[in-house]
């Protein structure tokens, strides 16, 4: 268990990055820190392994104040995936992953097996990649190595600072699934920084929403959605999920793709852009009373839209949204 009590951090130069936070990270749980850029996520994380000293307050790990702990020993027991990967460029992938296991005195056989096991886990074929250097890998591949390097020595605590940010959406989802799967059997205490609310909702046991050096709310994913503590938290969760769940229907989604010929009574037509919304289209019918709308994309006519097209779209949208009983 990691516990922050009234922790503040003022950087040299006066930036008050952390303004007194209390935070409890239970043993074996994954807690996500989320919030806008500059709100203090990385600072919070780096104070746990003493890469950054705190200005006041205390951090304890299993009840022991970290200020009493030797930094080197502390870090050996805390896996760390830094925001910008941080592989050692002059070491091969294999050497990077086995670095801490070696420092901990693991036998060659044991750490070599572990390297292969972890590389396979994230889809990097050991035969191909073991002897390569970080710069010979893509950004996403390097990030995978960064993640498995933190897991290699099986530390009880793992800090992950936006570990999946450089991955394409598919690899990202795969690694999220992998992490969830691994965590369901290893139960490490994980602090996971992300910008992505969907990622946090998917993998975290608890989510701490930060803003400007403070924690606005800490709650389980379900609780966070059910009862956001304030407007900031609501907008942080809401915007994204609203965009996902309630996409507005656009003219292009429902238009008739056979454009009408403009000769038959041009004056009775109005034009509307393909990316206008259904309500904008309806507004035009009301204000200008055209017979039909001609749908444009740039300077091309790409389709048409009638009043009944709009009515049908609205009716079927209502059917879709009606509670099924
Ligand atoms: N070494 C430093 N010296 C002075 N100020 C710093 C230092 N590191 C960070 N800061 C400041 O502290 C605040 C918090 O920074 P931090 O890196 O913790 O934010 P973050 O939430 O991790 O942001 P991001 O999402 O962009 O990574 C910012 O205002 C930043 O400018
Ligand atoms: Mg950061």
């Amino acid at each position: 268990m990691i516990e922050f009590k009234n922790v503040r951090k003022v950087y040299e130069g006066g930036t008050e990055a952390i303004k007194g936070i209390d935070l409890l990270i239970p043993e074996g749980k994954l807690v996500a820190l989320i919030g806008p850029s500059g709100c203090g996520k990385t600072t919070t994380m780096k104070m746990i392994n003493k890469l950054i000293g705190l200005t006041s307050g205390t951090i304890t790990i299993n009840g022991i104040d970290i200020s009493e702990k030797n930094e080197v020993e502390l870090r050996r027991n805390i896996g760390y995936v830094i925001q910008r990967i941080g592989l050692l460029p002059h070491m091969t992938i294999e050497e990077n992953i086995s670095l801490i296991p070696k420092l901990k005195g693991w036998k060659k056989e044991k750490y070599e097996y572990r390297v292969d096991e972890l590389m396979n886990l994230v889809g990097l074929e050991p035969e191909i990649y073991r002897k390569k250097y970080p710069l010979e890998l893509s950004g996403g591949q390097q990030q995978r190595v960064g993640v498995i390097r933190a897991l290699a020595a099986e530390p009880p605590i793992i800090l992950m600072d936006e570990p999946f940010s450089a991955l394409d959406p598919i690899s990202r989802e795969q690694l999220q699934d992998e992490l969830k799967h691994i965590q369901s059997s290893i139960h490490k205490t994980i602090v996971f920084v992300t910008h992505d609310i969907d990622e946090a909702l998917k993998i975290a046991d608890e989510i701490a929403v930060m803003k400007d050096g403070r924690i606005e709310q800490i709650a389980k994913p379900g609780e966070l959605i059910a009862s956001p503590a304030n407007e900031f938290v609501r907008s942080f969760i809401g915007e994204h999920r609203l965009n996902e769940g309630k996409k507005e229907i656009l003219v292009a989604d429902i238009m008739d793709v056979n454009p009408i010929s403009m000769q038959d009574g041009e004056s009775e037509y109005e034009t509307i852009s393909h990316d206008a919304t259904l309500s904008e289209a309806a507004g035009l019918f009301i204000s200008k009373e055209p017979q039909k709308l001609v749908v444009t994309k740039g300077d091309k006519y790409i389709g048409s839209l009638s009043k009944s097209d709009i009515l049908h779209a609205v009716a079927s949208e209502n059917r879709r949204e009606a509670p099924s009983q």
Side-chain angles (χ1 to χ4, degrees), residues 144-156:
R144 284 160 183 251
V145 177
V147 171
I148 57 179
R149 184 180 58 170
L151 299 173
E154 299 171 352

Side-chain angles (χ1 to χ4, degrees), residues 38 40 112 119 156 221 223 232 267 283 321:
E112 281 186 343
M119 290 185 73
E223 291 167 4
F232 175 78
S267 60
E321 287 192 349

Side-chain angles (χ1 to χ4, degrees), residues 221-320:
E223 291 167 4
L224 199 69
I225 295 170
S227 43
N230 55 40
E231 207 37 56
F232 175 78
V233 176
R234 191 191 308 275
S235 69
F236 209 86
I237 310 166
E239 278 171 44
H240 192 89
R241 299 187 67 78
L242 268 183
N243 292 344
E244 287 273 284
K246 273 200 131 213
K247 223 171 120 226
E248 249 202 292
I249 301 174
L250 302 181
V251 165
D253 298 332
I254 59 158
M255 68 182 186
D256 180 349
V257 289
N258 301 310
I260 35 181
S261 102
M262 293 297 277
Q263 288 95 288
D264 37 65
E266 268 184 47
S267 60
E268 294 178 30
Y269 300 144
E270 286 290 330
T271 59
I272 188 161
S273 171
H274 68 110
D275 56 3
T277 62
L278 210 56
S279 33
E280 286 170 310
L284 259 183
F285 273 110
I286 292 166
S287 63
K288 302 270 170 78
E289 300 186 354
Q291 195 191 17
K292 275 199 172 193
L293 295 178
V294 176
V295 182
T296 60
K297 184 173 187 179
D299 51 14
K300 289 205 181 77
Y301 299 131
I302 61 165
S304 67
L305 197 67
S306 66
K307 255 190 230 174
S308 75
D309 291 334
I310 296 181
L311 292 175
H312 276 116
V314 172
S316 62
E317 180 71 1
N318 285 345
R319 272 198 302 279
R320 198 167 65 82

